[in-house]
């Protein structure tokens, strides 16, 4: 199955797909004798997706929706999620939001949308909440309409540095980042928010152009600093190319990369022979019981190629919505929007820590008030498998390590 590259940092409705629809790739969990399909009035939701990650998030959303609906839905009502591709266009993202409001959605759930600055104001004006999304831009970290359960790319890359220093005991950390405007903000953020509290600073900061075909010059520049840990913050295909080049140059030290779209099949196809001392950091605790449920449901749905953290976050967002909605006397847009800021412990089945949505986030000096959860989790590649590192592999990138 074709994979799309994932932009680790922010880069980005002609076609509307229903997660309850009948597209060829919309395989659901087959009902059994113990399953009761939901038959009530549908609970309408929307998810606005970037093209780079749409297939991954859609796979997680569809799997969650199919399973929930085939097991009675939410209080007997099926979930109906419209996946609205933003076509990498800010105007399309805003149009997705306006159409969703007109269609009567209860909420925007599990989106990965680089154009929150365009869609979030539309939602704010209509009293619609964005829940369980992947926060990608400053608009997602500041809008009062947004309630993410994960920490976005800021926390993911911060977690890579924290793993390198706190757990793997690196002292000389280098970063390879995307040569775009948003990418340029990464090195100073890592230096100030993650390394400085640990008494360190980056030894090399190498920008990699998005369209580069040969990364050897960038790799050579980075390795001149003699790092003992390399943090890779690039699009998926570019990250794989960079890691292979680093290993071909003879570097045997720690390499970390963001985990969202790295399934085991993708690691095998893109990183075969370069997985020694390779760690992945994302938001899903692979040791959690709910993560095992995610994997089981994805396999039953025939979506093995998308068993990755991006799909897991989308699956988690839909399930968290369903759990909250099941506790509501009346599942309406107004009631859901009113309830969210009162929740002090949103349960994700252990995939993330429980998330308090009632208070602004305090990480990074409180500059990003919707950054409710900054916890990340590390995995390691062993014998071609992605497994949780050191039990849960839990990391706190924006807190100084305890005990030094």
């Amino acid at each position: 199955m074709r994979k799309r590259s994932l932009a680790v940092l922010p880069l980005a409705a002609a076609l509307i797909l229903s997660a309850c629809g009948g597209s060829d790739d919309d395989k659901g969990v087959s009902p059994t004798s113990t399953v009761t399909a939901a038959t009530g009035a549908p609970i309408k939701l929307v998810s606005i997706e970037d093209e780079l990650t749409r297939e991954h998030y859609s796979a997680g959303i569809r799997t969650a929706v199919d399973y929930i609906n085939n097991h009675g839905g939410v209080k007997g009502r099926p979930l109906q999620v419209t996946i609205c591709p933003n076509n990498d266009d800010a105007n399309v993202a805003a149009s997705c939001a306006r159409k969703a409001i007109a269609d009567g959605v209860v909420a925007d759930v599990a989106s990965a949308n680089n154009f929150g600055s365009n869609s979030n104001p539309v939602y704010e004006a209509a009293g619609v909440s964005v829940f369980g999304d992947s926060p990608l831009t400053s608009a997602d970290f500041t809008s009062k309409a947004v309630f993410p359960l994960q920490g976005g790319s800021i926390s993911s890359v911060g977690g890579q540095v924290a793993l390198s220093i706190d757990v793997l005991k690196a002292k000389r950390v280098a970063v390879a980042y995307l040569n775009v405007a948003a990418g340029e903000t990464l090195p100073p953020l890592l230096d100030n928010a993650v390394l400085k509290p640990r008494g360190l600073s980056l030894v090399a900061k190498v920008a990699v152009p998005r369209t580069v075909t040969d990364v050897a010059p960038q790799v050579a520049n980075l390795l001149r600093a003699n790092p003992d840990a390399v943090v890779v913050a690039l699009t998926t295909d570019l990250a794989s190319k960079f890691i292979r080049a680093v290993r071909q140059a003879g570097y045997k030290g720690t390499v970390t990369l963001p985990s969202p779209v790295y399934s085991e099949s993708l690691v095998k196809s893109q990183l075969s022979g370069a997985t020694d001392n390779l760690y992945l950091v994302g938001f899903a605790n692979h040791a959690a019981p709910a993560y095992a449920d995610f994997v089981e449901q994805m396999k039953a749905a025939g979506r093995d190629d998308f068993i990755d953290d991006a799909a897991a976050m989308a699956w988690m967002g839909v399930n968290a919505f369903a759990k909250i909605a099941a506790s509501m006397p009346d599942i309406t847009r107004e009631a859901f929007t009113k309830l969210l800021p009162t929740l002090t412990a949103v349960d994700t089945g252990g995939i993330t820590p429980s998330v308090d949505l009632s208070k602004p986030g305090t990480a990074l000096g409180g500059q990003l008030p919707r950054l409710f959860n900054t916890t990340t989790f590390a995995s390691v590649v062993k014998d071609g498998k992605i497994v949780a590192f050191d039990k849960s592999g839990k990391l706190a990138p924006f807190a100084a390590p305890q005990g030094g």
Side-chain angles (χ1 to χ4, degrees):
M1 187 173 292
R2 181 169 56 92
K3 292 281 188 176
R4 295 180 185 273
S5 299
L6 170 66
V8 176
L9 294 164
L11 303 173
L15 175 63
I16 300 293
L17 299 176
S18 171
C20 302
S23 59
D24 291 340
D25 66 339
D26 193 16
K27 303 173 184 176
V29 178
S30 298
T32 69
S33 58
T34 60
V35 170
T36 302
T39 58
I43 300 169
K44 295 182 179 181
L45 305 170
V46 69
S47 186
I48 303 176
E49 301 296 340
D50 286 347
E51 283 304 302
L52 287 171
T53 53
R54 178 173 56 80
E55 290 179 307
H56 302 264
Y57 274 82
S58 297
I61 290 168
R62 287 178 171 134
T63 298
V65 168
D66 290 339
Y67 189 88
I68 291 167
N69 289 348
N70 288 333
H71 289 75
V74 178
K75 302 174 78 170
R77 299 173 60 185
L79 297 180
Q80 181 179 312
V81 183
T82 296
I83 296 171
C84 192
N86 63 28
N87 297 345
D88 293 332
D89 187 314
N91 293 325
V92 173
S95 177
C96 284
R98 286 192 293 269
K99 187 177 188 306
I101 292 165
D103 287 345
V105 299
V106 173
D108 178 309
V109 173
S111 285
N113 170 32
N114 263 307
F115 302 104
S117 57
N118 296 83
S119 57
N120 292 343
V122 177
Y123 285 139
E124 289 175 13
V128 175
S129 294
V130 179
F131 174 75
D133 63 308
S134 175
L136 298 174
T137 69
S138 59
D140 298 321
F141 291 109
T142 55
S143 171
K144 291 184 178 181
V146 181
F147 294 86
L149 301 176
Q150 55 154 300
S153 56
I154 291 174
S155 296
S156 176
V157 183
Q160 291 175 245
V161 176
L163 172 68
S164 301
I165 299 172
D166 299 349
V167 180
L168 303 176
K169 306 306 178 184
K171 298 296 183 183
R172 299 180 60 79
V173 180
V175 62
Y177 62 94
L178 211 56
N179 188 18
V180 295
E184 295 295 338
T185 67
L186 181 60
L189 185 148
L190 293 177
D191 264 332
N192 294 326
V194 187
L195 285 109
K196 186 176 180 180
R198 291 163 169 80
L200 299 171
S201 61
L202 290 168
V203 297
K205 312 164 189 179
V206 176
V208 182
R210 289 182 64 182
T211 57
V212 68
T213 56
D214 180 10
V215 296
Q218 288 81 17
V219 167
N221 188 17
L222 183 145
L223 294 182
R224 281 192 201 99
N226 192 30
D228 51 12
V230 174
V231 170
V232 179
L234 302 168
T235 59
T236 303
D237 290 343
L238 197 54
S240 297
K241 181 185 297 185
F242 195 89
I243 291 168
R244 289 195 304 270
V246 164
R247 295 308 190 201
Q248 289 167 3
Y251 180 76
K252 299 185 182 301
T254 294
V255 176
T256 69
L257 71 162
S259 65
V261 301
Y262 274 99
S263 63
E264 289 178 357
S265 61
L266 191 63
V267 168
K268 182 178 180 180
S269 65
Q270 294 196 4
L271 292 171
S272 180
T275 58
D276 289 346
N277 212 8
L278 178 65
Y279 301 85
L280 296 85
V281 176
F283 308 104
N285 178 5
H286 291 200
Y291 189 83
D293 293 340
F294 158 73
V295 172
E296 181 181 358
Q297 291 177 27
M298 290 287 284
K299 287 181 177 179
R303 299 187 177 108
D304 302 52
D305 283 351
F306 292 101
I307 297 177
D308 52 43
D309 279 12
M313 289 295 100
W315 181 92
M316 180 189 76
V318 172
N319 277 279
F321 171 86
K323 187 175 293 187
I324 294 168
S327 71
M328 298 170 59
D330 191 15
I331 306 171
T332 66
R333 174 189 303 174
E334 294 76 16
F336 186 69
T337 294
K338 184 177 180 179
L339 178 63
L340 281 183
T342 72
L343 299 178
T344 59
V346 176
D347 180 14
T348 66
I351 292 181
T352 71
S354 64
V355 183
D356 185 351
L357 301 178
S358 67
K359 297 179 293 187
T362 58
L364 301 173
Q367 298 177 62
L368 307 176
R370 314 314 281 178
L371 184 54
F372 299 110
N373 169 29
T374 63
T375 301
T376 56
F377 296 89
S379 301
V380 62
V381 180
K382 288 185 177 180
D383 300 323
K385 302 290 185 181
I386 300 175
V387 298
F389 176 70
D390 190 21
K391 295 183 179 179
S392 72
K394 185 176 179 180
L395 302 164
F398 302 117
Q402 297 299 311

